[in-house]
Amino acid sequence: MTAALEIQDLVMVFPQRRGPGPRRRRRQARSSAETLAPQARPRAVDGLSLTARHGEVTALLGPNGAGKTTTLECAQGLQRPTSGTVRLLGEQPWGASPALRARAGVMLQDGGLPQAAKAGEYLRHIIAMYQDPVPQRELQERLGIGAFAETPIRRLSGGQRQRVALAAALAGRPEIVFLDEPSAGLDPQSRAVVFALIRELRGSGTAVILTTHLLDDAQRLADQVVIVDEGRVRACGSVRELIDGDGRSGALRVELTAAQQQRWAHRPPELVQRPDLQISGDGSRIVISGAVRPQELSELSQWLAATGELPLSLSLQPRSLEDVFLELSGRRIR
């Protein structure tokens, strides 16, 4: 697969104004725009590198403030980075020619849609900008827009607006498309249609850059996952590579009865001593994660049988992309 987007050592530093402290107020007559020294400025992106290929879905994941939006704005030519290189379809994207912009589609989460325009009018306007666009009727039928084509965008539901924004991003038959939360607000039927469309784009050779907070979507769709935090790439690979990368397989979750809680406090099963397992919980609910194998399930079952009681609940859940994400970025709300 050839590269549709290449980013190398991307750094983006935004100037940050200092507040007027007591000693500095006297100097404001001479300078009202003093900024932090470059080395003290916060880095929205800090040496990030990634490659997105034609015929693949690349999911860019990260918590709020991780640097995803800034990275994509640089990739789309909306921001010029402090340093590093970006090649969009082999060209530098900032100051891009109309020919290059016509080869890339962008769908923003908020859509950037004109609120007074009707959905069909807006698509007709977008389609008129391209030499070889997808026919409007085809777009509307595929995404179910025909039913509300005569409705002003301001009166559409969030899911309907998402479909209009997606149609606009695909109108010019792009070679690379950036999709920001494409399934946000969609009902199950619309979500299935959007998923099928993304898979078709991948099959036709289009490079799809997907950003989403719905990690199940990324796990189902992505060929490559890039997890970003604090402006850096924390992990990159296929979903299976990330899930299996450190040998963890899943988690055993058990909810104990009162008697079992007392026994666990004094005589827990021997598996709690294993260094490759992590034991967590609040006393009544125990989570055993790490390299969980059939023998751990057997050992836990034998321990439970010795108590003479069934646990309140017992489940074995395979490790997911969400588990990897939380392990890398933490559980703190940003």
Side-chain angles (χ1 to χ4, degrees):
M1 297 292 182
T2 58
L5 173 66
E6 293 182 283
I7 299 176
Q8 291 292 328
D9 301 321
L10 187 71
V11 173
M12 188 66 179
V13 180
F14 290 108
Q16 186 178 63
R17 296 184 185 276
R18 281 178 175 167
R23 296 182 179 179
R24 297 184 62 246
R25 292 193 184 99
R26 295 191 294 269
R27 301 200 302 266
Q28 283 188 336
R30 291 176 299 178
S31 175
S32 61
E34 185 175 343
T35 59
L36 291 172
Q39 65 270 21
R41 297 174 187 171
R43 292 191 172 198
V45 184
D46 190 10
L48 184 147
S49 300
L50 68 84
T51 300
R53 298 175 181 83
H54 291 284
E56 288 186 356
V57 176
T58 298
L60 185 63
L61 310 179
N64 293 331
K68 305 185 302 296
T69 298
T70 302
T71 297
L72 294 182
E73 287 177 348
C74 292
Q76 296 160 10
L78 302 176
Q79 295 270 10
R80 186 161 189 160
T82 304
S83 64
T85 60
V86 180
R87 289 292 179 269
L88 176 67
L89 299 174
E91 300 184 37
Q92 183 174 275
W94 43 91
S97 65
L100 176 59
R101 295 194 181 280
R103 298 166 63 197
V106 179
M107 174 193 174
L108 303 177
Q109 183 180 0
D110 61 13
L113 305 175
Q115 299 301 298
K118 296 178 181 179
E121 290 176 343
Y122 173 67
L123 287 180
R124 189 158 46 249
H125 172 73
I126 294 295
I127 286 171
M129 297 180 180
Y130 295 97
Q131 290 184 341
D132 181 30
V134 180
Q136 181 175 353
R137 176 174 293 182
E138 180 180 332
L139 277 174
Q140 291 186 173
E141 289 180 354
R142 186 60 196 275
L143 289 166
I145 296 173
F148 52 85
E150 297 302 314
T151 304
I153 289 174
R154 68 174 178 271
R155 295 183 180 175
L156 299 181
S157 68
Q160 289 171 333
R161 294 185 189 189
Q162 287 293 90
R163 284 184 273 164
V164 173
L166 178 56
L170 303 180
R173 305 182 192 274
E175 298 173 38
I176 181 171
V177 61
F178 298 87
L179 303 179
D180 189 1
E181 300 287 355
S183 62
L186 297 183
D187 58 42
Q189 293 85 355
S190 298
R191 191 164 173 257
V193 169
V194 169
F195 280 13
L197 188 54
I198 290 174
R199 293 187 179 103
E200 286 183 18
L201 289 169
R202 175 177 59 189
S204 68
T206 302
V208 179
I209 314 296
L210 171 69
T211 56
T212 181
H213 289 294
L214 302 175
L215 299 186
D216 286 346
D217 289 4
Q219 185 161 340
R220 291 175 60 181
L221 292 170
D223 299 289
Q224 176 187 216
V225 174
V226 181
I227 299 178
V228 177
D229 196 11
E230 297 181 339
R232 303 183 184 96
V233 173
R234 299 301 186 185
C236 180
S238 69
V239 172
R240 182 49 51 194
E241 287 170 344
L242 294 182
I243 290 175
D244 294 343
D246 61 0
R248 303 184 187 187
S249 56
L252 270 171
R253 290 175 168 83
V254 58
E255 185 174 1
L256 304 175
T257 65
Q260 289 169 342
Q261 292 177 48
Q262 293 180 0
R263 180 178 173 84
W264 188 283
H266 296 93
R267 291 187 59 191
E270 293 183 3
L271 59 84
V272 302
Q273 305 297 328
R274 283 187 43 189
D276 55 347
L277 293 176
Q278 294 78 47
I279 313 297
S280 60
D282 59 4
S284 62
R285 294 177 176 86
I286 305 297
V287 179
I288 304 168
S289 58
V292 178
R293 300 167 298 177
Q295 69 185 57
E296 279 70 50
L297 178 58
S298 175
E299 184 177 339
L300 178 61
S301 297
Q302 292 176 23
W303 184 92
L304 291 170
T307 69
E309 294 182 337
L310 287 172
L312 299 180
S313 67
L314 175 64
S315 65
L316 174 61
Q317 298 176 342
R319 194 165 182 244
S320 68
L321 184 59
E322 181 175 355
D323 295 323
V324 178
F325 179 88
L326 292 174
E327 290 160 8
L328 291 170
S329 62
R331 297 178 181 271
R332 177 174 57 88
I333 298 175
R334 308 293 176 91

